Amino acid sequence: RHRFWETQPVGQFKDARDGSLPEGPIEPPIPVSAVKQEPYNLPALYEWTTCDMDDDQTCAEVYNLLTNNYVEDDENMFRFNYSKEFLRWALRPPGYFKGWHIGVRVKATKKLVAFITGVPARIRVLDEVVRMAEVNFLCVHKKLRSKRLAPVMIKEVTRRVHLENIWQAAYTAGVVLPTPITTCRYWHRSLNPKKLIDVGFSRLGARMTMSRTIRLYKLPEATVTPGFRKMELRDVPAVTRLLRDYLSQFVVAPDFDENDVEHWLLPLENVVDSFVVESPETHEVTDFCSFYSLPSSILNNPNYSVLKAAYSYYNVAMRTPLLQLMNDALIVAKQKDYDVFNALDLMHNEVFLKELKFGPGDGQLHYYLYNYRLRSALQPSELGLVLL
Ligand code: MYA
Ligand code: JJ1
């Protein structure tokens, strides 16, 4: 059934119920000197390229490839439209390797037709911190689909990760592969219900009118939590402490240090937004919430071309109730003109989704580890990892 994935060190469906297999790496590492030194062969018309995301022209080529060929919903109405600034941020975290930003070009024209990336991360699984690659942005041009290019790209990124003496990876996909560590559902909170209905993202509920719907999703003009403000550089140590402490309860979660928090959570205009609650009495940072900005192109609509979506990222509610903290996140997202606020049902998100009028979407997100076996699948609420 999976001619490529059956050959890879991933949990296989046939082993799914075998609780006797050991937890941890499936294959042991080998000396880096024994890793294949030459790139894998591509079909003769194509060549490998390393994409320098510092270079504006290369970044624009990657942006255009993804804008026209990346992930769509099941009815092909929307397509992810990651911005250039977002791609630069996502691909250049502390310690990133330029060689893990891999493109494929047509030899004759140099046109970029495929892409895959890795970035380094430390991910804790149970009580072990594992150096991993987070693999994302796998994309093959629509005209080159089903030619088995994806397996070659996955093998090539694997080779380049191995050359850095890293033997595990984490990735997500909308499709089922061998074998998810968990499966999350997307939930959606309407901020601009009229536009969402006009573009076919949502529907008018039964026995609902447009004006009742608009009233249903109305939010206060201003946030309600005293001391709620945008995160600043000086908050990095406190946010790191809050986040490390919070994430320690999940079975799989990133092991963030202050450098990671500065990169991944310090606000970056139109890319990532983070807010802290600073106690008005003690000036301690007691809570924290964040979301990233991932618009989608609206395909074939005469009136609108872009859906502005905020995606829940990492949230830690120590003193403020999580419900109130997330309601404030919705309020600032509405102020910033997002049309919809999306969240997965991982970490503690279940406790606010229904209450804050999120509804279940038609999309799922499957989480995977490469070369690391877990004895059994997780509940989404046991997962503390959000990939972009
Ligand atoms: S998930 C986002 C993926 N991108 C898209 O969905 C964008 C739109 N689609 C496309 O561009 C193409 O359809 C893609 C497949 C490129 C997805 N993850 O070349 P093919 C397997 C893994 O003939 P195409 C993301 O970015 C498929 O099961 N494998 O197919 C995370 C089949 O194998 P098998 C996938 O449609 C990526 C084979 O590919 C995916 O032309 C993580 C068919 O190849 C998928 N999303 O191209 C990658 N989709 O026969 C893994 C299909 O066995 C990283 N396939 O079923 C692993 C860790 C590596 C590092 C390890 C370090 C130690
Ligand atoms: O956005 C998604 N679905 C939307 C739009 C559906 C359009 C028709 N298919 C959706 N809308 C309903 C919202 C409604 C709002 C009021 C309350 C009730 C709900 O369900 C879905 C997620 O649900 N998105 C996708 O399908 C995109 C792909 C998801 C897989 C992503 C793979 C990630 C790649 C790895 O990096």
Side-chain angles (χ1 to χ4, degrees), residues 2-5 69-71 135-140 145-151 154 158 161-162 167-169 171-173 177 370:
H2 290 285
R3 297 229 319 259
F4 169 65
W5 281 109
N69 301 277
Y70 201 48
V71 176
V135 177
N136 202 348
F137 306 113
L138 167 59
C139 182
V140 168
R145 298 276 169 90
S146 307
K147 298 178 185 298
R148 312 297 300 181
L149 213 49
I154 294 166
T158 302
V161 170
H162 286 166
W167 306 89
Q168 272 73 35
Y171 51 103
T172 56
L177 303 166
Y370 184 93

Side-chain angles (χ1 to χ4, degrees), residues 59-337:
C59 187
E61 288 180 276
V62 169
Y63 169 81
N64 290 328
L65 174 71
L66 296 178
T67 296
N68 295 311
N69 301 277
Y70 201 48
V71 176
E72 300 179 6
D73 68 296
D74 62 353
E75 289 166 286
N76 313 104
M77 296 171 67
F78 306 97
R79 189 187 305 126
F80 285 155
N81 183 202
Y82 290 92
S83 69
K84 291 175 199 163
E85 300 67 37
F86 191 111
L87 293 169
R88 282 214 170 94
W89 170 71
L91 295 177
R92 298 164 71 252
Y96 80 95
F97 301 99
K98 200 172 83 178
W100 293 8
H101 305 160
I102 306 171
V104 173
R105 294 185 188 277
V106 176
K107 274 183 191 160
T109 61
K110 305 298 173 197
K111 182 182 159 77
L112 185 71
V113 292
F115 192 58
I116 190 168
T117 67
V119 294
R122 293 180 315 283
I123 301 202
R124 184 181 48 75
V125 185
L126 297 159
D127 56 8
E128 190 192 11
V129 176
V130 185
R131 294 175 69 217
M132 295 200 193
E134 291 176 351
V135 177
N136 202 348
F137 306 113
L138 167 59
C139 182
V140 168
H141 193 285
K142 286 182 181 240
K143 295 205 164 143
L144 296 178
R145 298 276 169 90
S146 307
K147 298 178 185 298
R148 312 297 300 181
L149 213 49
V152 188
M153 301 184 68
I154 294 166
K155 284 190 277 187
E156 182 60 15
V157 74
T158 302
R159 190 184 70 82
R160 296 190 194 188
V161 170
H162 286 166
L163 286 171
E164 302 297 340
N165 197 24
I166 294 175
W167 306 89
Q168 272 73 35
Y171 51 103
T172 56
V175 294
V176 179
L177 303 166
T179 309
I181 59 164
T182 194
T183 296
C184 296
R185 161 103 19 220
Y186 282 98
W187 289 67
H188 307 283
R189 202 316 180 162
S190 302
L191 302 175
N192 186 356
K194 171 146 192 335
K195 174 171 168 184
L196 295 182
I197 290 167
D198 285 350
V199 303
F201 187 90
S202 64
R203 287 191 196 142
L204 214 48
R207 299 176 300 282
M208 285 292 278
T209 62
M210 189 61 85
S211 54
R212 272 194 72 196
T213 305
I214 291 169
R215 202 164 346 118
L216 176 66
Y217 290 117
K218 201 151 182 61
L219 287 161
E221 296 285 333
T223 58
V224 309
T225 308
F228 188 93
R229 61 164 174 83
K230 197 167 155 165
M231 180 187 172
E232 299 174 15
L233 185 59
R234 64 184 162 104
D235 300 316
V236 165
V239 168
T240 305
R241 282 195 299 273
L242 277 178
L243 200 53
R244 288 185 64 84
D245 188 50
Y246 178 68
L247 292 177
S248 69
Q249 68 191 294
F250 301 104
V251 178
V252 174
D255 180 61
F256 282 145
D257 64 18
E258 291 186 4
N259 280 325
D260 300 317
V261 167
E262 180 174 338
H263 179 82
W264 291 122
L265 291 163
L266 205 58
L268 185 61
E269 179 89 353
N270 294 317
V271 173
V272 61
D273 271 295
S274 301
F275 301 87
V276 297
V277 180
E278 177 182 336
S279 160
E281 293 89 39
T282 65
H283 298 284
E284 269 179 301
V285 173
T286 57
D287 314 272
F288 162 80
C289 65
S290 60
F291 54 82
Y292 61 85
S293 178
L294 167 49
S296 281
S297 304
I298 303 172
L299 310 176
N300 312 314
N301 187 280
N303 301 317
Y304 296 99
S305 59
V306 181
L307 188 73
K308 265 196 91 177
Y311 285 74
S312 176
Y313 196 29
Y314 291 97
N315 308 301
V316 184
M318 284 293 285
R319 204 171 70 191
T320 306
L322 182 59
L323 208 72
Q324 181 183 322
L325 186 71
M326 294 311 296
N327 200 52
D328 279 346
L330 294 176
I331 292 166
V332 290
K334 175 71 191 173
Q335 288 170 350
K336 288 173 183 274
D337 204 37

Side-chain angles (χ1 to χ4, degrees), residues 7-63:
T7 69
Q8 298 298 298
V10 294
Q12 298 294 332
F13 291 128
K14 65 177 171 52
D15 301 333
R17 296 155 52 76
D18 187 344
S20 68
L21 290 166
E23 204 139 53
I26 295 169
E27 286 178 357
I30 60 173
V32 168
S33 59
V35 174
K36 181 170 146 65
Q37 293 297 307
E38 327 73 43
Y40 283 89
N41 290 324
L42 281 168
L45 297 177
Y46 306 100
E47 65 189 20
W48 296 112
T49 179
T50 292
C51 293
D52 179 357
M53 297 302 290
D54 292 334
D55 179 69
D56 289 338
Q57 201 203 310
T58 308
C59 187
E61 288 180 276
V62 169
Y63 169 81

